[in-house]
Amino acid sequence: MRTCVVGALENLTLKAKCCAVCKCLALPPQRIYYLSLEFYMGRTLQNTMVNLGLQNACDEAIYQLGLDLEELEEIEEDAGLGNGGLGRLAACFLDSMATLGLAAYGYGIRYEFGIFNQKIVDGWQVEEADDWLRYGNPWEKARPEYMLPVHFYGRVDHTPEGVKWVDTQVVLAMPYDTPVPGYKNNTVNTMRLWSAKAPNDFNLQEFNVGDYIEAVLDRNLAENISRVLYPNDNFFEGKELRLKQEYFVVAATLQDIIRRFKSSKFGCRDPVRTCFETFPDKVAIQLNDTHPALSIPELMRILVDVEKVDWDKAWEITKRTCAYTNHTVLPEALERWPVSMFEKLLPRHLEIIYALNQMHLDRVAALYPGDIDRLRRMSVIEEGDCKRINMAHLCVIGSHAVNGVARIHSDIVKNSVFKDFYELEPEKFQNKTNGITPRRWLLLCNPGLADIIAEKIGEGFITDLSQLKKLLDFINNETFIRDVAKVKQENKLKFAAYLEEHYKVKINPSSMFDVQVKRIHEYKRQLLNCLHAITLYNRIRSDPSKSFVPRTIMIGGKAAPGYHMAKMIIKLITSIGEVINNDPYVGDRLKVIFLENYRVSLAEKVIPAADLSQQISTAGTEASGTGNMKFMVNGALTIGTMDGANVEMAEEADEENLFIFGMRVEDVEALDRQGYNAQEYYERLPELRQAIDQISSGFFSPRDPGCFRDVVNMLMYHDRFKVFADYEAYIKCQGQVDQLFMNPREWTKKVIRNIACSGKFSSDRTIMEYAQEIWGVEPSATKIPPPNLPRD
């Protein structure tokens, strides 16, 4: 943990001497800068009313005008500036940092087009551009007075006065500020998003040879940097435009951070501080995954080339300032940029990375003499046909703290992904289990449940979710059991009406709402869910007179536009639904619905209505998950593998209160060692064989019998995520789900226990841990006086 400025006495004399000019000790405490290429904010109106405590007053005022507040809320576009969990986590963190009174800023890109809108046409995903800014954005304020230059390309000159990066192409970064209010504490933090603007002279050299029109049109090349969000989740695509985006946000943000650090007081832009000795005590930079990893060489470049700080001192400052959060262990998701691309786009940064890597490898070689293989594994530069820069390795060597996002994930990070680095510096590695903000994910989206909880235990849980533990006293309280069941049923009726209106499908609101909503990806195993749906269908067809627990299976999520298998999975889900939903033998006992265009505002509707939450990734692949936490706090029971945060959810609520099935991480590893053979399961399990044969024969795609050839081929011969290996345990576990659902009272008691034990999964707790154990600051419960009252 970093020492605060006034903390360690032995440092005080040194700091007082070197900062006498800037009176550093009298300046405000440390500021936190959360750098992320994604902020999946969703809608802002209702969230702002909730956090300001104005919802009832606004509702009443709008009603007096003869309007409906809900209708007004539905008009707002989602700010879809993220793909999935990583971007939504960043949004929850901003809410928590403001609620905890931390001086924190979110920095990212103001994408003109966010995550695409998903349309389902003839069962296939079709992407439409998300022109979310078409009617403007009332929540943002442009700040042209803080516009900053960002440099690309050029060459490096080594001169007697120092290193100079010259002949660069300049793009301007225009900041747009969005307020982030804390919950009823009058604290308002800022999310600053950068938009790319071409300078007036951009490419106008062309004008000198007469092509003025072409030169003006070329301005788009500069402004394309903030045009569109890359729609890949857990997959690295090495495009130059993406690297430009990553450097663009980093370069603009670091200039802003350094301007603020140098200023003598809030709002002042005159530099007074020139000594960087106390920079890490005033500035904490959190890197949300490797996307902002260029902060490390960029901070080094500014300190060494611009501010003339000694190299070793600059490296110490950089390491003490930056901290890195790892979000995935999937190899295809880790960023590895070609050296040739760096050489062209960021030549000075490439030099710095090479120098940092040399220092790092010298240290490793001294500690492990002769271990060439270790040097190769730990190098930031990966040799091969195409030399690449491993951005995760750069983050690890350039940060003072590295954390995973759930305990099991942090263990995999230490024991596998960064094993060599952990052996070198074990003190760097930490765990920070993810969380969700209870303001949006309980108070806002499920007011009925929030009200009955507040009735029983007061409103303290809104800012201290651990207080939900008090609900354990009411597990056998008949009134409370009835109230919880009633709220769930009301949410289901409301969502059923929504589905009928938007999907023209009538569903049975007393059926079990079985929901899996998340990005479509092989590792998340929507295919396992499909196989269960087919198995249920076959059981109903083989004995229509038998009594079955009615289910509405809902699957939602977007597939990356270039991800063929994910798109095939969506087509399979819609095709299965087409057959099952139109089979008169089945009736309303089973429905399969694909939820189109899943996004934050749809999540706020479906999660409170869910009975069963599906979290069924192969053990060891989902870093944490946060959807699992949203379902838990909203009263859905979880069927899941021991993966990500499911492990800690099972620990908090006791494993028997979740439906846990399938292989553990060590089982998956053992299966890898002996070799996974899908054919073996196919031959041994008749229901599995029947389902696969139906998919293969065109039963679900009569107009195109070979439609799912690729899906079947993958499952049988190339399945990295071992769907068949968990099929039998999954089907058996789903039988236990049915059994319990037939006993509504016992089901609801388990629901109450899950809600009561979900307190750990608040992003307030996560941010408190980041603040105390990584950033070295203390959250404050102090409520700032409202603007109409004088401050002390």
Side-chain angles (χ1 to χ4, degrees):
M1 197 192 297
R2 183 187 287 113
T3 55
C4 73
V5 181
V6 290
L9 287 173
E10 61 269 29
N11 290 334
L12 273 177
T13 322
L14 169 68
K15 287 174 185 171
K17 271 183 199 162
C18 76
C19 294
V21 185
C22 62
K23 309 269 193 309
C24 152
L25 298 178
L27 280 164
Q30 188 179 49
R31 290 188 174 110
I32 293 131
Y33 297 97
Y34 195 83
L35 270 65
S36 179
L37 257 80
E38 300 183 19
F39 285 96
Y40 205 170
M41 303 299 286
R43 291 170 174 167
T44 299
L45 175 61
Q46 196 182 352
N47 191 71
T48 303
M49 292 189 300
V50 164
N51 278 13
L52 297 182
L54 291 173
Q55 205 170 6
N56 292 340
C58 290
D59 206 353
E60 180 61 29
I62 293 287
Y63 176 74
Q64 295 289 346
L65 292 170
L67 300 169
D68 181 351
L69 188 57
E70 261 192 57
E71 265 182 51
L72 184 65
E73 287 161 0
E74 285 298 317
I75 292 168
E76 185 179 1
E77 293 274 359
D78 278 50
L81 306 184
N83 281 292
L86 176 142
R88 185 52 235 170
L89 182 79
C92 284
F93 279 4
L94 292 186
D95 181 90
S96 286
M97 289 189 283
T99 297
L100 291 169
L102 294 171
Y105 300 77
Y107 273 96
I109 294 180
R110 179 183 177 264
Y111 300 104
E112 197 176 314
F113 296 93
I115 184 69
F116 61 86
N117 286 318
Q118 179 193 56
K119 291 272 182 284
I120 301 298
V121 178
D122 193 25
W124 296 96
Q125 169 177 296
V126 174
E127 299 87 23
E128 282 184 0
D130 168 31
D131 192 3
W132 74 287
L133 290 170
R134 180 178 296 172
Y135 303 113
N137 174 12
W139 302 107
E140 69 182 11
K141 170 144 180 48
R143 305 299 301 271
E145 67 273 28
Y146 290 110
M147 192 143 63
L148 294 165
V150 175
H151 298 260
F152 294 99
Y153 304 110
R155 58 189 174 79
V156 182
D157 272 356
H158 291 263
T159 70
E161 294 79 51
V163 182
K164 290 184 170 54
W165 183 18
V166 296
D167 297 340
T168 55
Q169 189 185 92
V170 175
V171 176
L172 298 175
M174 161 89 92
Y176 286 79
D177 287 355
T178 301
V180 180
Y183 181 73
K184 291 188 180 178
N185 63 353
N186 296 319
T187 294
V188 183
N189 283 349
T190 300
M191 174 176 68
R192 176 163 284 186
L193 302 180
W194 302 102
S195 183
K197 300 275 175 234
N200 282 337
D201 61 353
F202 185 82
N203 262 13
L204 285 194
Q205 299 89 318
E206 300 288 328
F207 177 44
N208 298 329
V209 291
D211 205 346
Y212 166 70
I213 298 295
E214 198 59 39
V216 172
L217 293 180
D218 274 356
R219 293 168 63 84
N220 278 338
L221 298 175
E223 296 178 357
N224 278 343
I225 290 174
S226 58
R227 193 82 68 203
V228 62
L229 166 74
Y230 272 85
N232 298 322
D233 191 58
N234 278 307
F235 183 79
F236 168 60
E237 191 177 6
K239 295 283 199 293
E240 186 177 305
L241 179 59
R242 173 67 169 188
L243 185 56
K244 276 187 172 174
Q245 288 182 340
E246 295 186 355
Y247 181 63
F248 176 73
V249 69
V250 157
T253 300
L254 278 170
Q255 287 179 74
D256 222 27
I257 289 172
I258 285 166
R259 170 189 58 77
R260 238 182 237 125
F261 169 75
K262 285 181 168 183
S263 298
S264 60
K265 57 180 183 291
F266 180 74
C268 171
R269 273 183 281 166
D270 302 324
V272 267
R273 268 199 261 192
T274 51
C275 169
F276 280 82
E277 186 72 36
T278 59
F279 190 77
D281 299 310
K282 292 291 172 194
V283 173
I285 294 174
Q286 190 68 37
L287 309 176
N288 192 27
D289 214 350
T290 55
H291 312 140
L294 285 164
S295 300
I296 292 162
E298 173 67 2
L299 184 52
M300 284 295 288
R301 186 190 71 79
I302 294 170
L303 291 173
V304 173
D305 296 359
V306 181
E307 302 293 343
K308 307 301 180 193
V309 176
D310 168 75
W311 175 274
D312 290 336
K313 188 75 213 163
W315 183 228
E316 186 201 327
I317 290 168
T318 299
K319 283 198 293 187
R320 287 179 58 213
T321 301
C322 296
Y324 160 56
T325 301
N326 173 275
H327 280 275
T328 182
V329 297
L330 297 178
E332 65 267 35
L334 296 173
E335 292 194 299
R336 295 176 166 92
W337 290 104
V339 164
S340 55
M341 195 184 287
F342 253 80
E343 203 163 19
K344 182 174 76 158
L345 194 69
L346 301 166
R348 177 58 181 145
H349 297 77
L350 182 62
E351 287 186 352
I352 290 169
I353 290 168
Y354 267 118
L356 294 176
N357 191 43
Q358 192 58 56
M359 278 168 55
H360 160 63
L361 292 182
D362 288 347
R363 183 183 170 210
V364 175
L367 288 167
Y368 303 94
D371 195 341
I372 304 301
D373 204 43
R374 185 181 290 265
L375 288 177
R376 182 188 52 75
R377 291 195 309 266
M378 294 184 75
S379 177
V380 173
I381 310 295
E382 294 181 351
E383 303 293 337
D385 298 341
C386 168
K387 269 193 183 181
R388 292 179 180 274
I389 300 170
N390 186 316
M391 301 307 272
H393 288 185
L394 178 63
C395 285
V396 175
I397 69 166
S399 300
H400 69 276
V402 176
N403 72 280
V405 289
R407 196 175 61 233
I408 184 176
H409 169 236
S410 296
D411 288 344
I412 292 169
V413 160
K414 290 190 291 196
N415 303 329
S416 168
V417 189
F418 300 132
K419 184 173 187 285
D420 296 314
F421 294 91
Y422 177 64
E423 286 172 8
L424 186 69
E425 298 177 296
E427 69 286 350
K428 258 190 193 183
F429 289 79
Q430 303 188 12
N431 174 56
K432 298 285 167 279
T433 299
N434 281 344
I436 55 166
T437 165
R439 272 72 63 185
R440 186 179 290 264
W441 296 111
L442 181 53
L443 214 56
L444 179 156
C445 72
N446 204 342
L449 182 60
D451 285 348
I452 61 168
I453 292 172
E455 250 174 61
K456 285 282 182 265
I457 65 169
E459 292 188 352
F461 71 93
I462 299 166
T463 49
D464 175 12
L465 206 61
S466 65
Q467 290 189 26
L468 289 179
K469 272 269 191 278
K470 296 176 187 172
L471 291 176
L472 291 172
D473 296 341
F474 300 98
I475 280 182
N476 294 305
N477 180 306
E478 295 303 327
T479 315
F480 191 59
I481 292 171
R482 200 165 54 247
D483 287 346
V484 170
K486 183 166 173 269
V487 165
K488 179 63 74 178
Q489 198 52 38
E490 284 166 358
N491 291 339
K492 288 172 73 172
L493 285 164
K494 192 174 175 184
F495 192 62
Y498 173 86
L499 287 181
E500 196 167 343
E501 184 188 339
H502 290 86
Y503 292 77
K504 306 295 176 263
V505 58
K506 196 161 176 55
I507 61 170
N508 174 3
S510 62
S511 65
M512 183 199 304
F513 281 18
D514 170 349
V515 183
Q516 186 181 20
V517 281
K518 49 185 77 248
R519 283 300 287 253
I520 308 293
H521 201 297
E522 287 161 84
Y523 88 85
K524 292 178 186 283
R525 298 202 296 191
Q526 283 91 355
L527 285 170
L528 190 54
N529 199 347
C530 288
L531 292 175
H532 175 244
I534 296 170
T535 302
L536 280 184
Y537 172 66
N538 289 334
R539 286 179 180 178
I540 294 169
R541 284 295 309 241
S542 67
D543 190 357
S545 59
K546 195 176 165 194
S547 127
F548 288 91
V549 173
R551 269 191 200 236
T552 303
I553 297 173
M554 303 177 214
I555 304 175
K558 293 174 180 175
Y563 189 174
H564 169 69
M565 189 53 65
K567 289 186 141 181
M568 289 306 306
I569 291 167
I570 291 175
K571 175 63 175 168
L572 179 62
I573 297 163
T574 55
S575 301
I576 291 168
E578 188 74 21
V579 170
I580 292 176
N581 301 347
N582 294 305
D583 190 323
Y585 282 96
V586 175
D588 65 359
R589 288 181 288 186
L590 182 60
K591 287 273 184 280
V592 176
I593 293 167
F594 186 82
L595 298 174
E596 187 179 73
N597 202 32
Y598 180 65
R599 59 203 182 282
V600 176
S601 55
L602 182 52
E604 290 164 5
K605 294 179 178 68
V606 65
I607 290 171
D611 291 306
L612 186 68
S613 155
Q614 298 242 16
Q615 309 297 334
I616 55 178
S617 52
T618 313
T621 60
E622 186 72 89
S624 164
T626 48
N628 44 6
M629 303 167 185
K630 291 164 195 167
F631 281 104
M632 186 186 193
V633 78
N634 279 283
L637 297 186
T638 302
I639 182 166
T641 48
M642 275 298 204
D643 197 23
N646 293 359
V647 176
E648 287 157 85
M649 283 162 53
E651 198 174 87
E652 293 295 305
D654 293 334
E655 206 174 307
E656 66 268 22
N657 293 301
L658 283 77
F659 299 99
I660 298 293
F661 72 93
M663 296 180 290
R664 309 299 213 246
V665 170
E666 50 276 20
D667 302 323
V668 175
E669 287 168 353
L671 192 52
D672 274 329
R673 283 193 296 274
Q674 73 172 64
Y676 168 64
N677 180 4
Q679 190 80 30
E680 197 183 296
Y681 299 93
Y682 171 81
E683 284 164 5
R684 184 168 60 80
L685 303 167
E687 287 188 310
L688 173 62
R689 185 165 62 247
Q690 183 185 5
I692 292 298
D693 289 349
Q694 285 170 312
I695 296 170
S696 185
S697 67
F699 180 85
F700 295 105
S701 53
R703 282 172 299 194
D704 181 5
C707 180
F708 300 116
R709 191 183 301 113
D710 289 354
V711 177
V712 173
N713 186 48
M714 183 275 289
L715 285 171
M716 294 297 291
Y717 306 109
H718 312 287
D719 181 10
R720 292 164 55 204
F721 304 108
K722 306 174 179 61
V723 170
F724 290 4
D726 273 340
Y727 169 84
E728 192 175 16
Y730 178 58
I731 299 295
K732 188 177 170 201
C733 194
Q734 287 282 18
Q736 294 163 9
V737 173
D738 281 345
Q739 284 292 307
L740 188 66
F741 195 74
M742 287 192 286
N743 185 339
R745 184 173 177 276
E746 288 306 311
W747 179 279
T748 307
K749 281 172 70 173
K750 266 197 183 359
V751 162
I752 295 168
R753 182 174 292 279
N754 270 267
I755 296 169
C757 296
S758 64
K760 175 180 179 175
F761 305 106
S762 165
S763 50
D764 297 349
R765 186 266 318 149
T766 313
I767 287 297
M768 216 170 285
E769 290 179 7
Y770 273 98
Q772 292 167 342
E773 296 164 27
I774 294 179
W775 305 328
V777 293
E778 277 298 325
S780 160
T782 311
K783 188 174 169 179
I784 294 171
N788 55 325
L789 292 180
R791 294 199 187 189
D792 294 336

